[in-house]
Amino acid sequence: MTSSAEPVSRAERRKQELRREIIDAAFDCFAERGYHATGIADVAARLGIGHGTFYRYFQNKRDIVDHVVDDLVGRITGALTAENAPDAVSTLAEYREQSARIGESLGRIFGEDPRVPRLLLFEAPGIDRAMAERILDLFDLAAGLTSAYLSHGVELGYLRADLDVDNTARAINGMILGTAISSLRMPEAQAAQSEALRRVMYDGIAAT
Amino acid sequence: MTSSAEPVSRAERRKQELRREIIDAAFDCFAERGYHATGIADVAARLGIGHGTFYRYFQNKRDIVDHVVDDLVGRITGALTAENAPDAVSTLAEYREQSARIGESLGRIFGEDPRVPRLLLFEAPGIDRAMAERILDLFDLAAGLTSAYLSHGVELGYLRADLDVDNTARAINGMILGTAISSLRMPEAQAAQSEALRRVMYDGIAAT
DNA sequence: TCCGAAACTGACACGCGATTCCGTTCGAGT
DNA sequence: ACTCGAACGGAATCGCGTGTCAGTTTCGGA
């Protein structure tokens, strides 16, 4: 098994390394100058390689942005699912803790590097229809997850029985989205935003 | 006054008319095919005019998208401010009514024509930095408005005294954003979304 | 050290679309 | 009907960025 997973060494490893570096460099360029404004030559120049070399690793410009997005989406779905199953909690307090944990996790991804939300929310949707659909798919995925958490809470009785889980899930995800976007201009407000979000979510805004 | 507002007639009016038609056609094209994918020739062809004529009305491609966005932003800020002053209400019930009214107004704009949110949220931010900033400005403007509503409610005592008005405002606007984005794929869910949003906002999600 | 394959390079071909420009058309005033 | 200036159309210009390719370099193995 080890031999089949590592068919060759040395040069082969170098290739995978460069491939990764190209993806990272492309991410940098796309996030900084925007997808349409960066040329393949820019990406190659950043690595000090000839731009012809780029085409030995990726089909074309459109191809690589897909890989860049794959990477980011992977990171996010990882944060969303890692060590956080919907049915791992059984009380409101635990649920609150879990949502704080997930929120912190997302906050780290979005807040630490604003280029991530910028690329995902501001650049990607304008590339073409297919990419826009990918982003919408990501939203749907997130909505599905949140919805599952809510359903679980309704079943166990610590969330309102009449909760419209699907639409509420989308509303909550919208708040997260709002936080991510705010972090583009006010990265430092991250934590406060996150806290406000949870207050709205659990307590609403009305006076008691 | 009437004479100064109408310096000339006939031809002059035609010019303004065509100018408007170009803006509308550009909106159609940008929303359908995307900004980068549409050429000036496409816009001109849609109106059956030569593309050289376009340049008699607008400086360049970048120029017109600004006008298109002006138009949309105007419609939205209009809906947000029209007949809805933060201090026009004094009880939670009235506040609820007012927010429903504003929500319906926005829902009409976003829901009736998905091209509006598509252009504003998916196309515009990817055009260039300046345009992305404009969109962020729009978010900030909306946050400021919502914040004012919340502040007013806190002062009058029908909203939680410890409300973090600024960050809560952004969270709420995020939910609205989420609704607008959902409407891209599920325009029919508009109303339910809006209702779920308001429930979260006023009651939270926890069981009583 | 030498050989051949694989990787790299960057000049070049090419297509595309924004913008220009000038000959033509239109229309208001006489 | 005639003139003149403004508006129009679309062929031509121009620059740019993608993707290709043939020559060059690198490197592992004999």
Side-chain angles (χ1 to χ4, degrees):
Chain A
M1 230 219 255
T2 324
S3 58
S4 70
E6 299 175 22
V8 299
S9 300
R10 310 280 174 95
E12 190 61 23
R13 203 165 312 222
R14 254 214 172 315
K15 279 192 75 154
Q16 292 309 316
E17 227 172 82
L18 180 50
R19 194 182 159 82
R20 160 106 267 128
E21 281 176 43
I22 292 177
I23 292 177
D24 291 340
F27 168 70
D28 291 343
C29 290
F30 291 155
E32 275 171 30
R33 295 172 221 180
Y35 175 75
H36 295 285
T38 74
I40 295 302
D42 295 322
V43 177
R46 179 171 290 240
L47 292 173
I49 65 175
H51 72 272
T53 303
F54 169 90
Y55 288 94
R56 298 188 56 75
Y57 290 84
F58 297 95
Q59 285 278 307
N60 51 43
K61 187 181 176 182
R62 184 52 222 278
D63 185 22
I64 198 181
V65 72
D66 261 331
H67 287 277
V68 170
V69 171
D70 277 347
D71 205 44
L72 299 179
V73 169
R75 262 194 259 175
I76 290 170
T77 57
L80 287 176
T81 56
E83 59 162 333
N84 281 304
D87 53 2
V89 301
S90 53
T91 68
L92 185 58
E94 283 176 12
Y95 187 67
R96 239 176 139 131
E97 254 176 56
Q98 189 182 48
S99 62
R101 204 159 54 241
I102 294 178
E104 198 192 332
S105 195
L106 282 176
R108 204 170 302 129
I109 293 178
F110 290 142
E112 274 187 5
D113 189 352
R115 278 138 69 244
V116 176
R118 158 157 279 129
L119 184 51
L120 240 31
L121 302 175
F122 275 30
E123 288 297 329
I127 292 177
D128 61 21
R129 271 299 169 86
M131 185 59 82
E133 291 300 317
R134 278 198 72 176
I135 302 298
L136 286 176
D137 284 344
L138 183 59
F139 288 149
D140 280 351
L141 173 69
L145 282 177
T146 304
S147 185
Y149 282 99
L150 295 178
S151 288
H152 184 251
V154 171
E155 273 163 32
L156 291 206
Y158 58 80
L159 295 185
R160 278 190 4 239
D162 65 342
L163 205 60
D164 175 349
V165 288
D166 267 11
N167 288 311
T168 303
R170 286 174 191 278
I172 290 173
N173 286 355
M175 290 198 284
I176 295 171
L177 194 59
T179 302
I181 289 176
S182 294
S183 75
L184 288 177
R185 277 194 168 164
M186 322 165 37
E188 73 288 355
Q190 249 291 315
Q193 283 271 310
S194 198
E195 172 61 21
L197 183 160
R198 259 170 281 132
R199 277 309 293 273
V200 172
M201 185 167 155
Y202 292 110
D203 307 328
I205 63 174
T208 49
Chain B
M1 234 223 252
T2 324
S3 57
S4 72
E6 299 175 23
V8 301
S9 300
R10 312 283 172 95
E12 190 61 23
R13 202 164 314 224
R14 251 214 174 314
K15 278 193 76 154
Q16 293 309 316
E17 226 172 83
L18 181 49
R19 194 184 158 82
R20 161 103 267 128
E21 281 176 43
I22 292 177
I23 292 177
D24 291 341
F27 168 70
D28 291 344
C29 290
F30 291 156
E32 275 172 29
R33 293 171 223 180
Y35 175 75
H36 295 286
T38 74
I40 295 302
D42 295 322
V43 177
R46 179 172 291 238
L47 292 173
I49 64 174
H51 64 272
T53 304
F54 169 90
Y55 288 94
R56 299 191 57 74
Y57 290 85
F58 297 95
Q59 285 277 306
N60 50 43
K61 187 181 176 183
R62 183 54 221 280
D63 185 23
I64 197 180
V65 72
D66 261 331
H67 288 276
V68 169
V69 171
D70 278 346
D71 205 44
L72 300 180
V73 169
R75 261 194 259 174
I76 289 170
T77 56
L80 287 176
T81 56
E83 59 162 334
N84 281 305
D87 53 1
V89 301
S90 53
T91 69
L92 186 57
E94 283 176 13
Y95 187 67
R96 239 178 139 128
E97 254 176 55
Q98 189 184 46
S99 62
R101 207 159 52 241
I102 293 177
E104 198 192 333
S105 195
L106 283 176
R108 205 171 300 129
I109 293 177
F110 290 142
E112 274 187 6
D113 189 352
R115 278 137 70 244
V116 176
R118 157 157 278 128
L119 185 50
L120 240 30
L121 302 175
F122 275 31
E123 288 297 329
I127 292 177
D128 61 22
R129 273 297 169 87
M131 185 59 83
E133 292 299 318
R134 278 197 72 175
I135 302 299
L136 285 175
D137 284 344
L138 184 59
F139 287 148
D140 281 349
L141 173 68
L145 281 177
T146 304
S147 185
Y149 282 99
L150 294 179
S151 289
H152 184 250
V154 171
E155 273 163 34
L156 292 207
Y158 59 80
L159 295 185
R160 277 190 3 240
D162 65 342
L163 205 60
D164 175 349
V165 288
D166 267 11
N167 288 310
T168 303
R170 286 174 191 277
I172 291 173
N173 285 356
M175 290 199 284
I176 295 172
L177 194 59
T179 302
I181 290 177
S182 294
S183 76
L184 288 178
R185 277 194 168 164
M186 322 163 38
E188 73 288 354
Q190 249 291 316
Q193 284 270 310
S194 199
E195 171 61 21
L197 185 161
R198 259 170 280 132
R199 277 307 294 273
V200 171
M201 186 167 154
Y202 293 110
D203 306 328
I205 63 174
T208 49

